[in-house]
Amino acid sequence: MKAMQLTTCLKNNLFAIITISGLLISGCNTTPQKPIELTPSQMKVQAGKSSFQNGEYGVAESSFLDPSIWHGEKELQIESLKYLAFIYCVTDRVTLCRHSFYKALQLNPTFELTPAESTHPLWGPEFVVAQSGLKGN
């Protein structure tokens, strides 16, 4: 009886060892992922967002106005227009702020700000005005 229990115990342990070994080996055989290469326009948008977050509005504005963005993807143009609107509102250029939102809405009429962005006291109301201007046309 003890021999049978010992055999069963060894089989169970062997199964566990094989299973764990397989998991460990398969985890070691992963191929490294290539880093995603950004386009020049994506790099400009990323740089602009970083500058904006650091309060460097002039540098951010230059990044968002880079020609590579305006010859590229529509989504990057919309994102740039959103941040340009933020910059213009923060730097008390309200007409440019509203116009940037309006241009973003022309590119994508379903464009929306996030809940946190839409309640911002400077650009939230300007976005609403831009939306109403688009609906009026």
Side-chain angles (χ1 to χ4, degrees), residues 67-116:
S68 68
I69 294 171
W70 305 104
H71 297 290
E73 302 168 43
K74 186 165 76 167
E75 289 305 314
L76 290 177
Q77 293 173 17
I78 293 167
E79 189 170 9
S80 294
L81 285 165
K82 177 178 89 166
Y83 277 93
L84 283 168
F86 293 171
I87 291 165
Y88 295 143
C89 280
V90 167
T91 57
D92 202 29
R93 295 180 280 173
V94 178
T95 302
L96 287 173
C97 171
R98 190 177 307 142
H99 183 72
S100 295
F101 281 139
Y102 184 76
K103 294 302 265 179
L105 287 161
Q106 283 181 320
L107 289 173
N108 178 3
T110 63
F111 168 70
E112 290 286 337
L113 298 177
T114 67

